């Protein structure tokens, strides 16, 4: 099934309304167990599901005068075994801003050098050797994530950037948020002068769902999934860019206006 950015954002917003950390809410359906944006409750290579991400450069295509790099992505879990695969395309400047810059910011200089010292990122301008550099850098990024060196905030950003397919747990929370917002809107519209006169606020809200279980992974599929490309800040276009603007009912509209971004505070 395809990715729904509205479902992902809506799900994490609903969890945050219940006091559940954004990164924990987003990552739990993928098998990760995060305590908060900076710490793992159990590292990816030590938690029960052992989520292992793969990011492989499969080639590149020329489109409308731009080079798009084709990425073959996978997420493999254990106990029980499951595998999710999807493909996406990105331009070099998107990969630099969305992955390289994020990794430098979240890891800090020392940890970044330890993870990527032998795999420098591709040079600007698409010079010779770009594909080989990208291939080695993406492999190093996957190792950094799988070893637990990358903090939850970085793993969240990577999965969002790569457009990992939204899971059923994301969708359920997004629908619950949509219902709650509709009930609150209806309550506000229904309050009249009689309500205002007695000084009592009458708000009706649906009971929120339980926060996602960090140990549970809902909706993972054992068949391949084609993830559609999300191109943050890209004006060049490309296949699948419309998916980034897809909404999950009215949830996407509401969630975007309320959702704080996942943490991007640079580390020293």
């Amino acid at each position: 099934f395809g990715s729904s950015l509205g479902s992902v954002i809506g799900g994490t917003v609903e969890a945050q309304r219940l006091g559940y950390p954004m990164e924990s809410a987003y990552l739990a359906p993928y098998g990760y167990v995060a305590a908060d944006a900076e710490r793992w409750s159990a590292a990816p290579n030590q938690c029960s599901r052992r989520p292992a991400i793969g990011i492989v450069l499969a080639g590149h295509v020329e489109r409308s005068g731009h080079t798009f790099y084709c990425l073959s992505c996978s997420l493999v879990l254990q106990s029980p075994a499951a595998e999710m695969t999807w493909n996406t395309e990105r331009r070099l400047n998107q990969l630099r801003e969305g992955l390289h810059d994020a990794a430098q910011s979240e890891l800090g200089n020392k940890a970044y050098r330890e993870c990527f010292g032998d795999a420098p990122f591709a040079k600007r301008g698409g010079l010779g050797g770009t594909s080989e550099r990208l291939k080695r850098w993406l492999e190093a990024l996957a190792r950094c994530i799988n070893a637990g060196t990358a903090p939850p905030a970085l793993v969240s950003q990577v999965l969002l950037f790569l457009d990992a397919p939204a899971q059923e747990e994301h969708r359920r929370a997004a629908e619950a948020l949509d219902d709650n917002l509709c009930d609150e809107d209806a309550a506000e519209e229904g309050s009249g002068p009689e309500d205002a006169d007695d000084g009592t606020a009458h708000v009706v809200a649906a009971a929120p769902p339980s926060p996602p279980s960090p140990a549970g992974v809902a909706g993972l599929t054992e068949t391949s999934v084609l993830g559609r490309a999300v191109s943050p800040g890209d004006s060049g276009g490309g296949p699948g860019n419309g998916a980034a603007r897809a909404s999950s009912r009215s949830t996407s509209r509401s969630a975007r206006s309320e959702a704080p971004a996942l943490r991007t505070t640079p580390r020293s």
Side-chain angles (χ1 to χ4, degrees), residues 6-260:
S7 292
V8 171
I9 294 176
T12 52
V13 169
E14 171 63 7
Q16 191 183 51
R17 285 159 62 95
L18 302 173
Y20 199 61
M22 289 274 291
E23 285 77 9
S24 299
Y26 173 64
L27 291 172
Y30 297 117
Y32 294 95
V33 188
D36 52 36
E38 299 182 357
R39 300 175 298 114
W40 296 106
S41 293
N45 60 354
Q46 297 175 354
C47 64
S48 61
R49 297 306 307 274
R50 300 286 200 281
I53 192 172
I55 312 171
V56 178
L57 180 62
H60 61 82
V61 295
E62 300 296 326
R63 188 178 295 110
S64 302
H66 300 290
T67 300
F68 288 83
Y69 293 90
C70 308
L71 307 181
S72 178
C73 309
S74 64
L75 187 64
V76 179
L77 297 97
Q78 303 176 19
S79 303
E83 180 175 6
M84 177 168 47
T85 62
W86 71 99
N87 301 316
T88 192
E89 296 178 357
R90 294 288 184 273
R91 291 173 56 184
L92 181 60
N93 67 313
Q94 294 173 321
L95 292 167
R96 176 178 289 105
E97 295 173 3
L99 294 182
H100 171 266
D101 293 356
Q104 280 192 325
S105 174
E106 291 295 342
L107 290 170
N109 293 332
K110 181 179 179 181
Y112 182 87
R113 286 194 300 268
E114 292 174 353
C115 292
F116 299 95
D118 296 329
F121 194 76
K123 296 181 179 179
R124 297 180 183 275
L127 303 176
T130 294
S131 292
E132 181 59 27
R133 278 176 169 250
L134 274 180
K135 176 178 179 293
R136 295 178 58 195
W137 192 90
L138 292 170
E139 291 171 350
L141 175 62
R143 288 194 300 270
C144 176
I145 293 174
N146 294 336
T149 305
L154 177 56
V155 178
S156 298
Q157 291 177 65
V158 170
L159 289 172
L160 282 168
F161 177 83
L162 296 176
D163 199 18
Q167 299 303 294
E168 189 60 31
E169 199 164 351
H170 293 132
R171 294 191 179 92
R172 287 199 302 268
E175 290 173 359
L177 173 62
D178 190 31
D179 291 341
N180 286 349
L181 293 175
C182 288
D183 288 341
E184 290 171 3
D185 289 342
E188 290 175 2
E189 292 173 1
S191 61
E194 299 82 3
D195 300 315
D197 289 343
D198 62 11
T200 303
H202 301 281
V203 178
V204 179
S210 299
S213 170
V217 180
L220 281 178
T221 176
E222 296 183 2
T223 59
S224 296
V225 180
L226 178 61
R228 294 188 288 274
V230 175
S231 303
D234 175 38
S235 59
N241 284 354
R245 295 182 292 274
S247 63
S248 173
R249 301 169 66 199
S250 61
T251 303
S252 180
R253 171 182 55 78
S254 302
R256 286 195 187 100
S257 64
E258 296 186 17

